[in-house]
Amino acid sequence: MAIITSLVEEFGRGSSITDVLRAQQQYHEQRRWSVNQLIDNRCLTTFGDRDRAALWHSARAELTTQPAGIRLAVDGVTLAQELAKTNPLGAKVAHAAAAWSARFWLEEEAHHEVAYGQLLELAGLDPIPEDEVVEHRGFFPADNYARVCVLQACVEIEACVTYGEMAKTSGDPLVRDVFFQVMRDEVQHRQYFTSFAKALVDAGVYPVKDILSMAYVWVRPDSGETFGSTRKDQSHREGFVNWWEQVRVEPDDGLALRDDQIRTPALHERKVRSVLAMVREATDLEITTVEQLKRAYVASLTSDDLNRIRSAIHRGDARQALAS
Amino acid sequence: MSTPLRAAIARRLGLSEEVAFRPGTSLAQLLAASPSAINSIDLLDAFAGAVADQSIDVDFDLPAFTLDHSTEEVVEALEKMNVTQAETH
């Protein structure tokens, strides 16, 4: 059992929405785990400041998934209704994405929120104050659905890399187990979001530029979203929280995430590589560098023809080779 | 002053040049005025797309901005970049 990576092909083979939702259910059941079984009767033994900082951030970051899930569930059904007559294939894709967000993404992310929240308290930190919980539940802003899917794929990648690092490097067995278990879920979520973005483009609901733009905005040098709170200029936001913009990094802050937890060159490279792989899966464009992603994005602003976009990437590569 | 770049930006945002380039307009205000743009990615699409409309070359640096920047600041950066590019090619 695996995630259906090409929904348009799947529907083309005659599968119905019900078939796809059953496949989602089966995959979900196959991978379920219990927060209580994982944590109960265990305690933290060899944890330190690094673990506390990671738990402080992860517990808060996971709170913001619920508003995003609600947005994707509601907007997915709205989109499906809008497309029902003009693009029935696109409508099926939107139904599949809305159902997965409402049923499985929200449920699985609730596990992460509760697991990190419990661990946070086991580590001796205060529970997240109620006003902060409420602040993190602010409505996720509306956007075009393909871009939101790509954004969420990028956020999942960010989580995969940082949680994966904690799963490998924490000195405490329970911290390692929880980060590892959550990371395994986030890998699957990244795959689902990529498949929805791809299917919305394949079905002609959105142009490929919407995948390229969001991915580029995530990884663009210096000012990309992946640089989060370390960016020189930050946009003022009200009503919702982008957790990556609120990462504590001041050296004298005991709860700050250290570079080796989130921002070393090696971790950054891993995140970028994963975002570029996601773009390749979603677009069938052979993009292996951020520079190529930028060229593809700019080319996609004047043409939706994949061959013209490929030519623009290759022309840039040739120019770069000549210049070096 | 109307230029092909400014005209293309306004067109991509569904605005008249007069509204898009009213002195002192911030990008947040530009976003609110546009009937088609949802967020800052649409602004980037409009700015980068307008430069791409003027050129066959897609190798240019896209300026970074926040919604607090003024429209004028971004357009000046793009115009400067366009001039540099025209001189280089």
Side-chain angles (χ1 to χ4, degrees), chain A residues 79-139:
Chain A
L79 178 64
Q81 287 175 347
E82 285 167 9
L83 294 170
K85 288 208 171 101
T86 56
N87 187 342
L89 177 60
K92 287 183 181 191
V93 172
H95 273 301
W100 179 79
S101 304
R103 296 172 175 186
F104 308 120
W105 193 46
L106 278 169
E107 195 269 358
E108 292 177 17
E109 293 292 346
H111 279 55
H112 308 171
E113 176 189 315
V114 173
Y116 286 138
Q118 288 187 9
L119 227 49
L120 177 84
E121 292 171 39
L122 283 176
L125 290 167
D126 290 335
I128 302 174
E130 204 161 86
D131 57 348
E132 227 181 306
V133 173
V134 171
E135 185 198 355
H136 283 72
R137 298 296 202 210
F139 272 116

Side-chain angles (χ1 to χ4, degrees), chain A residues 142-144 147 209-210 213-214 216-217 220 223 233-237 291 294-299 301-302 312-313 315-317 319-320, chain B residues 12 38-53 55-69 89:
Chain A
D143 192 7
N144 99 29
R147 286 203 307 223
K209 85 168 172 63
D210 289 328
S213 63
M214 188 67 247
Y216 180 68
V217 164
R220 65 184 298 182
S223 61
D233 295 320
Q234 300 284 343
S235 282
H236 176 68
R237 304 197 192 279
E291 191 60 30
K294 184 184 77 177
R295 274 186 225 129
Y297 164 51
V298 174
L301 292 168
T302 55
I313 298 170
R315 274 200 310 275
D317 286 348
R319 259 197 309 270
Q320 218 168 20
Chain B
R12 282 175 169 270
I38 303 170
N39 59 30
S40 59
I41 298 184
D42 293 307
L43 295 181
L44 183 63
D45 281 3
F47 291 133
V51 177
D53 287 341
S55 165
I56 52 161
D57 191 351
V58 293
D59 270 348
F60 53 82
D61 290 325
L62 299 172
F65 52 77
T66 71
L67 293 178
D68 303 323
H69 282 93
H89 288 88

Side-chain angles (χ1 to χ4, degrees), chain A residues 218-289:
Chain A
W218 194 269
V219 295
R220 65 184 298 182
D222 304 325
S223 61
E225 294 294 317
T226 188
F227 296 99
S229 59
T230 62
R231 289 178 295 186
K232 188 162 67 75
D233 295 320
Q234 300 284 343
S235 282
H236 176 68
R237 304 197 192 279
E238 263 174 26
F240 73 103
V241 172
N242 281 341
W243 61 261
W244 55 93
E245 293 173 340
Q246 302 206 349
V247 171
R248 293 162 74 157
V249 290
E250 294 303 321
D252 55 351
D253 178 351
L255 288 170
L257 280 182
R258 299 175 193 173
D259 278 354
D260 69 349
Q261 291 179 283
I262 188 168
R263 225 171 286 290
T264 58
L267 288 174
H268 178 71
E269 195 191 322
R270 214 179 299 162
K271 293 175 192 174
V272 170
R273 222 172 31 231
S274 189
V275 169
L276 295 175
M278 178 268 291
V279 171
R280 287 196 296 278
E281 287 167 39
T283 64
D284 293 329
L285 291 167
E286 196 47 43
I287 291 171
T288 55
T289 66

